[in-house]
Amino acid sequence: MVDNEKKKKVLEAIEQDVDRHGAQSNYSFQKYLQEHKLFSDKDKHRGDEVMIMCPFHGDKNPSLSINYNRRIWNCLGCGRGGHFVDFVYNYDTTILDEDISWNGELNRMLKADHELQLRVGFSTIFIDSEFN
């Protein structure tokens, strides 16, 4: 079971981290895309936006739009979209074939970041101790 107040607090702390550290944040699209080698020569960069090849379907031309400033993404080809955590969740479950829930993904991000834990004051979003 998830504590929705803790979940909200973690999502707000992630947003604040990106506000403070920009592209260097562990939760920025730029850093995630670089780490997973999702940039290509076909990408179209325009200000705070980039169009990349969508990793979720067979793309021949960039169709996935990412707005760094608003921290949202949308694929014009397959229709997937959302915020940063949604992208990580989709990538991990679709491309890396991991068996994890959206809340599990968020909790994993929290558990992997000691500084984030210190900022929010807890180390899990789950109420049940079996998920800690």
Side-chain angles (χ1 to χ4, degrees):
M1 191 170 223
V2 172
D3 182 323
N4 286 321
E5 287 303 311
K6 285 183 175 182
K7 181 176 160 179
K8 182 179 174 185
K9 196 170 181 180
V10 171
L11 291 170
E12 288 170 355
I14 287 173
E15 291 291 317
Q16 290 168 358
D17 190 81
V18 177
D19 287 342
R20 273 195 296 268
H21 302 290
Q24 301 308 311
S25 168
N26 289 331
Y27 309 103
S28 75
F29 274 111
Q30 297 96 317
K31 189 169 186 175
Y32 191 85
L33 297 173
Q34 287 172 342
E35 287 176 356
H36 291 85
K37 298 175 176 52
L38 295 175
F39 286 120
S40 77
D41 294 339
K42 292 185 175 184
D43 297 344
K44 298 173 184 168
H45 299 266
R46 187 176 48 222
D48 287 340
E49 295 186 21
V50 64
M51 291 284 285
I52 66 169
M53 305 287 276
C54 181
F56 306 120
H57 66 92
D59 226 359
K60 294 183 181 182
N61 293 304
S63 66
L64 191 145
S65 173
I66 296 172
N67 184 303
Y68 296 137
N69 217 17
R70 293 177 51 209
R71 298 176 200 107
I72 58 172
W73 63 283
N74 181 53
C75 179
L76 305 173
C78 67
R80 292 186 188 194
H83 291 278
F84 177 77
V85 177
D86 300 316
F87 186 88
V88 173
Y89 168 74
N90 275 276
Y91 190 83
D92 286 355
T93 57
T94 305
I95 306 304
L96 302 180
D97 200 30
E98 293 183 6
D99 184 21
I100 191 167
S101 68
W102 191 95
N103 289 322
E105 185 72 59
L106 182 63
N107 199 60
R108 181 167 57 182
M109 289 177 177
L110 175 60
K111 287 194 152 301
D113 189 339
H114 186 68
E115 288 182 26
L116 182 58
Q117 292 175 31
L118 291 173
R119 279 199 310 276
V120 296
F122 49 87
S123 62
T124 183
I125 62 170
F126 291 108
I127 298 168
D128 240 332
S129 62
E130 69 181 87
F131 295 105
N132 291 327

